[in-house]
Amino acid sequence: MHRPRSAVRRHRSHRSHRRGVAAACAVACTAVLLATACSTPETTGGGGSGKDDPSSEPPTGLALLYRGYEGGDPEQDQALVFLDPETGEEKDAFMLPEGAVDPMAPNLPVWAQFSEDWNYFVSAPPEAQTVQIAQLVENEEGELVYESAASLETPPAEVWTDPVIQGDRLWFASRAAEGQAASFQVMSVPMDDPTATPEQEGTVPFDENGNPEEWTVSPEGELHVREQAPVQSATGPAGETLTVRKSGDTVMNATLMSGGTQWQHIRGAPVWGGGTVIVTPEGSEPAATPSGDASTPGAHLLTLDESGTAFEDTPLLVGEGRLHQYMPNDNRDEALLQTEKAWYRVEVGEDGLPAQDDRLQELFTARLDASMHGYPLAVRLT
């Protein structure tokens, strides 16, 4: 049972929020205009924003996006929450605009919806049919929250959805508001000038079910459409077959056939980078979910060799159940992995392989929210 929103807000009003993001994020925009994004305020004196002031440090830890924070409404009470990656203890929480993220949707790439400095959050609320920009500001109660700062002006008969931030640009999909089309356009605008005329980055087709083909932005800032990328195959040490699609030297997605089971990357998960990828059993039905017995892996960490024709296969979460989501850190030398029950850590060496034989460490119980799938979405590990 969800607690009333009023109870959630009363509890939250007494929470000791860290003034944890750079001082630029703690100053409210003096004016918020439709279709005009707030610029980042200049850091000023008198606010304790020097290097020696701990309040100027950005939040760190495992960042999760909750839909139904603290037992609240999954549509109205959404928050970016930072956990201590060792204990799972909550360190910081910043509320998002109501209804920013669909509480029914799984595997959303929320990690790509925040700017690197946490100052901005972009979204396409299910009923808005356009791209919204929120900025982290200090509200009247002295709490840091994400508040709506702009709505991109959508042309007539178009719907703008699926926004992501890559570097200094905001990417989104442009689709016809009515009728059927064979494809849609992927557009981008500068984050510091979101009202500029969008640039067309490419075209993405719809599949046979009328759904958009999988697309994302590569770490190099290039549009990657799964079904348009060339296919590369490799063979594992026990005859397994791995099919990968790359953008430059980065494996963007992969399919592993092993022991009669098909394993795939998690749609919406961040790419690892280079020749490393994590895969889990295809589908979400119980029949595709490992039972968690002592010999069943919940995922595989795969590392291509330099030739790209062979790979190393490291089973992960053996006996621990299916991998639901994961998040590598910025240096890609460790990742946190979540099963239905707990979060785990795996350390990875420069060769892309786990660093130790006892590589998997259970950390803390998996956190829950009120979304359809019951757990918050991984955003970043810093």
Side-chain angles (χ1 to χ4, degrees):
M1 178 179 298
H2 301 321
R3 280 185 291 163
R5 294 188 65 240
S6 58
V8 175
R9 283 184 170 171
R10 281 198 299 271
H11 176 84
R12 201 159 50 230
S13 66
H14 294 290
R15 178 180 299 279
S16 178
H17 285 295
R18 242 177 104 181
R19 302 299 189 264
V21 186
C25 301
V27 180
C29 292
T30 57
V32 177
L33 302 178
L34 188 66
T36 303
C38 297
S39 59
T40 303
E42 295 292 336
T43 301
T44 57
S49 59
K51 280 187 176 181
D52 295 333
D53 183 358
S55 67
S56 67
E57 298 176 1
T60 60
L62 174 62
L64 302 177
L65 193 155
Y66 281 68
R67 296 170 288 180
Y69 178 54
E70 294 185 326
D73 187 286
E75 292 187 1
Q76 298 178 332
D77 292 287
Q78 300 182 355
L80 175 68
V81 179
F82 290 81
L83 305 183
D84 184 315
E86 299 292 334
T87 65
E89 180 181 356
E90 183 176 319
K91 299 170 61 180
D92 297 283
F94 309 109
M95 299 306 298
L96 301 176
E98 293 184 357
V101 182
D102 186 351
M104 304 295 286
N107 301 331
L108 295 172
V110 293
W111 54 272
Q113 294 179 235
F114 291 87
S115 60
E116 185 177 356
D117 60 4
W118 301 111
N119 202 18
Y120 294 103
F121 168 69
V122 294
S123 63
E127 298 180 359
Q129 297 187 340
T130 190
V131 173
Q132 309 287 325
I133 300 176
Q135 186 178 28
L136 191 60
V137 300
E138 187 172 303
N139 65 12
E140 294 179 353
E141 297 177 351
E143 298 172 329
L144 290 178
V145 298
Y146 285 94
E147 292 188 351
S148 296
S151 176
L152 300 193
E153 187 174 354
T154 309
E158 287 188 27
V159 173
W160 287 359
T161 62
D162 307 322
V164 299
I165 299 175
Q166 171 66 20
D168 60 357
R169 297 191 71 81
L170 166 60
W171 295 59
F172 57 90
S174 174
R175 308 173 187 174
E178 297 181 0
Q180 295 183 346
S183 63
F184 63 88
Q185 309 297 322
V186 176
M187 319 290 284
S188 77
V189 293
M191 274 299 296
D192 61 359
D193 187 16
T195 61
T197 301
E199 296 182 12
Q200 182 176 328
E201 301 289 352
T203 301
V204 179
F206 289 90
D207 62 21
E208 64 274 10
N209 298 318
N211 299 316
E213 296 284 4
E214 185 176 344
W215 70 277
T216 189
V217 184
S218 75
E220 295 76 28
E222 301 291 335
L223 174 64
H224 173 84
V225 182
R226 175 187 169 87
E227 297 305 320
Q228 295 177 351
V231 176
Q232 180 179 339
S233 296
T235 303
E240 312 97 319
T241 301
L242 176 66
T243 302
V244 302
R245 293 175 172 87
K246 290 184 175 182
S247 177
D249 294 329
T250 298
V251 173
M252 300 297 295
N253 39 63
T255 300
L256 173 70
M257 292 299 300
S258 175
T261 300
Q262 180 169 304
W263 304 69
Q264 290 187 336
H265 73 290
I266 298 175
R267 184 166 182 166
V271 298
W272 190 279
T276 300
V277 63
I278 291 179
V279 294
T280 196
E282 181 187 24
S284 58
E285 298 301 320
T289 304
S291 62
D293 62 53
S295 62
T296 304
H300 288 268
L301 188 148
L302 310 172
T303 307
L304 284 171
D305 67 7
E306 293 183 358
S307 70
T309 60
F311 64 93
E312 293 285 343
D313 178 356
T314 305
L316 298 176
L317 300 170
V318 176
E320 304 297 344
R322 179 192 175 95
L323 173 67
H324 284 278
Q325 60 180 343
Y326 68 90
M327 184 54 59
N329 66 358
D330 293 339
N331 296 327
R332 296 312 199 253
D333 56 9
E334 71 172 34
L336 299 191
L337 318 170
Q338 184 211 323
T339 67
E340 182 178 356
K341 297 180 179 180
W343 279 91
Y344 299 80
R345 175 189 289 113
V346 60
E347 297 182 2
V348 178
E350 294 182 359
D351 56 2
L353 300 175
Q356 301 175 358
D357 291 337
D358 55 343
R359 49 187 166 266
L360 203 63
Q361 176 188 2
E362 183 174 345
L363 298 174
F364 52 86
T365 302
R367 297 302 182 250
L368 302 177
D369 68 5
S371 65
M372 180 178 180
H373 280 243
Y375 53 82
L377 299 167
V379 178
R380 196 178 303 169
L381 175 61
T382 58

